[in-house]
Amino acid sequence: MANGQWYPAEWPDRIRALAAGTLTPAAPRRAATVMLLKDTADIPVVHMLRRRASMAFAGGAYAYPGGGVDPRDDDHQIRWAGPTRAWWASRLGVDEDDAQAIVCAAVRETYEEAGVLLAGPSPDTVIDDTTGDDWEADRAAVAARELSFAEFLERRGLVLRSDLLGAWARWITPEFEARRYDTWFFVAVLPQGQRTRNASTEADRTVWIRPRDAADGYDKGELMMMPPTIATLRSLAEHGSAAAALAAAPARDLTPVLARARLENDDVVLSWPGHDEFTKRVPAAGDPT
């Protein structure tokens, strides 16, 4: 294909089955992902990971740290700083319990997969070092769901810093996909003193890369990505600093993006509203165009 758009071979058959009424869409699972930014001398860079080729969902694709909501992410024990749960509920278009769960998932997944923690001892501080054997033991326990994130924060005497996140976009996995997620994309700035690492069992590589360079790699077919990833990369490239991107987040439109598929004769036409570059036409026999 001309670019690096992730396109599973089974999609056309599943789309036809959905159109015929023989495929029941799976319910999307709530999820959160974080575009972690830091400044370089001339332009911000974003932290990305490459999913292992063996992964059932988007194997080999570049993405951001993130994952599904843990049922315990709406635990009201969580110490909270920044905008209120009610504010986040209005911003994300959900109720307050769901808002806490989604924001908590964003912070938790960033810690699990990148070792970066958006929390501090007080509402106006952030931890500056999460290295060491004791931190790693706690991170591994959270990732294994042996320790809830609320329990972890309580044990460490930490406050979740929701003000360090900015909601950027919302994408819902197409109805014909076997694994579906309702995913909120957030932007955050790497806290001073902290550093990323590949702490994810789902990734075989991590990089800090300029958004425009990553988009160029996609355009050349060198980097594989899902539509939400490349779309958010293109929007990040408009900002000259990590702080500028975070400051722009409150004005971002969070209307959910959900792929549409239709049959024209026996061809499948797949599109994402507002994102014409991802439109694909799949002939009854042949590769998508």
Side-chain angles (χ1 to χ4, degrees), residues 37-280:
L37 300 170
K38 69 176 182 180
D39 288 319
T40 62
D42 56 349
I43 201 166
V45 289
V46 63
H47 179 71
M48 303 190 75
L49 54 84
R50 184 175 65 187
R51 295 175 59 81
R52 294 184 184 277
S54 58
M55 296 298 296
F57 183 79
Y62 280 80
Y64 313 111
V69 167
D70 183 329
R72 298 171 296 177
D73 283 337
D74 62 1
D75 192 321
H76 288 284
Q77 296 177 28
I78 290 178
R79 298 172 63 199
W80 188 276
T84 65
R85 292 168 177 81
W87 185 92
W88 277 109
S90 176
R91 177 70 179 122
L92 302 179
V94 297
D95 63 31
E96 290 190 29
D97 285 347
D98 282 344
Q100 174 175 302
I102 293 161
V103 170
C104 184
V107 175
R108 174 181 51 75
E109 288 284 344
T110 303
Y111 182 51
E112 288 182 17
E113 298 197 339
V116 170
L117 183 59
L118 303 177
S122 66
D124 57 356
T125 60
V126 63
I127 197 77
D128 61 2
D129 186 6
T130 61
T131 61
D133 292 343
D134 59 334
W135 281 100
E136 174 55 23
D138 277 355
R139 189 205 63 78
V142 171
R145 303 297 183 263
E146 297 167 357
L147 179 68
S148 76
F149 198 59
E151 292 168 335
F152 162 73
L153 293 176
E154 185 68 25
R155 174 186 295 182
R156 291 279 179 176
L158 297 174
V159 180
L160 183 148
R161 291 287 306 276
S162 80
D163 55 318
L164 299 181
L165 287 170
W168 195 262
R170 180 183 178 185
W171 288 65
I172 302 175
T173 309
E175 292 181 332
F176 45 82
E177 175 57 48
R179 295 171 180 265
R180 300 190 65 213
Y181 298 92
D182 185 353
T183 305
W184 282 262
F185 286 71
F186 294 86
V187 66
V189 179
L190 179 69
Q192 186 174 0
Q194 293 195 42
R195 60 181 184 271
T196 58
R197 61 190 179 86
N198 183 8
S200 173
T201 59
E202 299 179 355
D204 60 11
R205 184 187 183 209
T206 62
V207 295
W208 282 101
I209 188 169
R210 297 176 180 180
R212 198 173 305 281
D213 289 345
D216 287 345
Y218 166 90
D219 290 336
K220 295 174 183 176
E222 298 170 354
L223 302 181
M224 185 167 66
M225 300 177 200
M226 295 174 282
T229 308
I230 182 60
T232 50
L233 276 172
R234 295 203 197 283
S235 61
L236 282 177
E238 302 170 3
H239 301 282
S241 70
L246 182 60
R252 295 281 305 175
D253 182 7
L254 295 187
T255 301
V257 180
L258 175 64
R260 295 174 180 169
R262 67 183 189 274
L263 293 177
E264 290 187 358
N265 298 320
D266 198 32
D267 293 354
V268 171
V269 179
L270 178 61
S271 62
W272 279 260
H275 300 272
D276 292 342
E277 71 166 299
F278 304 127
T279 299
K280 296 278 188 187

